[in-house]
Amino acid sequence: MSDRRGFTLWFTGLSGAGKSTIADLVGPELERRGVLVDYLDGDVVRTHLSKGLGFSKEDRDTNINRIGWVASRLTRAGAVTLVSAISPYRDTRADARRMVEEFGPFVEVFVDTSVEECANRDVKGLYAKAFAGEIKEFTGVSDPYEAPEDPEIHIRTESQTPEQSAAEVVAALEARGLIGQAVGA
Ligand code: ADP
């Protein structure tokens, strides 16, 4: 057994909120502290692990349950797992939390960005289509998003750069004693 303690950092928020961007900045910072980092990005997962699933409540729940299960295994193995998935349902996130917490801490990061701001950014061009009614079941527009009530970390991206948001996450992990100082810092 390694004495290194794994944990899962679970980014939840609307499409375009900034989950992947922040995870991609936080990951290398954690690697500099000598931890093994793994990523489970919702868009990537849907191309293999969850290929064929759609966006009904049932399929969304199946997708999140799969991600939660893999995150729990990686946490058990001592990795720090960065999950970026809309994960719109509170109960389903709670199920993922229960699976992970069998083996290590689950840190929920609410990437809080309004629908209006996400639509302004419209990174993938999806909001324009959703507002035009071309995409059904689009989270925040025509499908629910249940915001976390008590997340471990709450990031408000509209008043920050991605670098500031990532620094806030890293500082919160340090404050919780989950990571040490960067080597050479
Ligand atoms: P998601 O993974 O949540 O769907 P992305 O990370 O793909 O979202 O896109 C978020 C977009 O918002 C990027 O273009 C990013 O540059 C921009 N952005 C602006 N401010 C922030 C911030 N503080 N944190 C994260 N992303 C931000």
Side-chain angles (χ1 to χ4, degrees):
M1 262 314 259
S2 149
D3 59 1
R4 203 182 271 162
R5 188 117 194 267
F7 64 90
T8 289
L9 203 48
W10 189 289
F11 295 88
T12 173
L14 298 174
S15 174
K19 303 178 294 298
S20 308
T21 300
I22 298 171
D24 286 347
L25 291 168
V26 169
E29 273 300 314
L30 301 185
E31 277 167 357
R32 292 203 318 131
R33 285 152 170 87
V35 297
L36 175 69
V37 178
D38 216 324
Y39 301 86
L40 292 171
D41 186 286
D43 289 340
V44 179
V45 167
R46 277 183 175 278
T47 66
H48 48 89
L49 183 67
S50 287
K51 193 171 179 181
L53 290 181
F55 293 88
S56 65
K57 164 117 180 39
E58 193 185 355
D59 279 5
R60 286 177 188 271
D61 284 351
T62 302
N63 180 44
I64 295 308
N65 280 323
R66 288 180 188 173
I67 294 174
W69 185 79
V70 175
S72 79
R73 303 310 294 176
L74 292 169
T75 300
R76 178 176 182 273
V80 173
T81 306
L82 272 54
V83 175
S84 314
I86 298 173
S87 40
Y89 295 107
R90 218 171 268 144
D91 283 358
T92 320
R93 291 196 302 268
D95 289 342
R97 176 185 292 274
R98 270 190 291 277
M99 282 191 270
V100 168
E101 284 183 342
E102 276 188 49
F103 303 111
F106 180 97
V107 181
E108 186 173 49
V109 185
F110 179 23
V111 183
D112 189 356
T113 311
S114 65
V115 177
E116 294 71 29
E117 173 65 13
C118 290
N120 275 339
R121 294 180 189 168
D122 211 0
V123 190
K124 299 162 201 156
L126 296 175
Y127 281 90
K129 288 187 182 158
F131 283 118
E134 289 166 29
I135 305 178
K136 306 232 162 2
E137 301 176 321
F138 194 81
T139 302
V141 177
S142 48
D143 220 48
Y145 179 75
E146 300 174 356
E149 285 170 334
D150 195 19
E152 277 81 2
I153 304 177
H154 189 159
I155 300 294
R156 296 168 176 85
T157 72
E158 286 170 55
S159 50
Q160 292 182 330
T161 64
E163 289 71 21
Q164 287 170 327
S165 297
E168 203 177 318
V169 172
V170 171
L173 297 175
E174 281 178 1
R176 286 176 172 267
L178 288 169
I179 54 170
Q181 299 287 320
V183 176

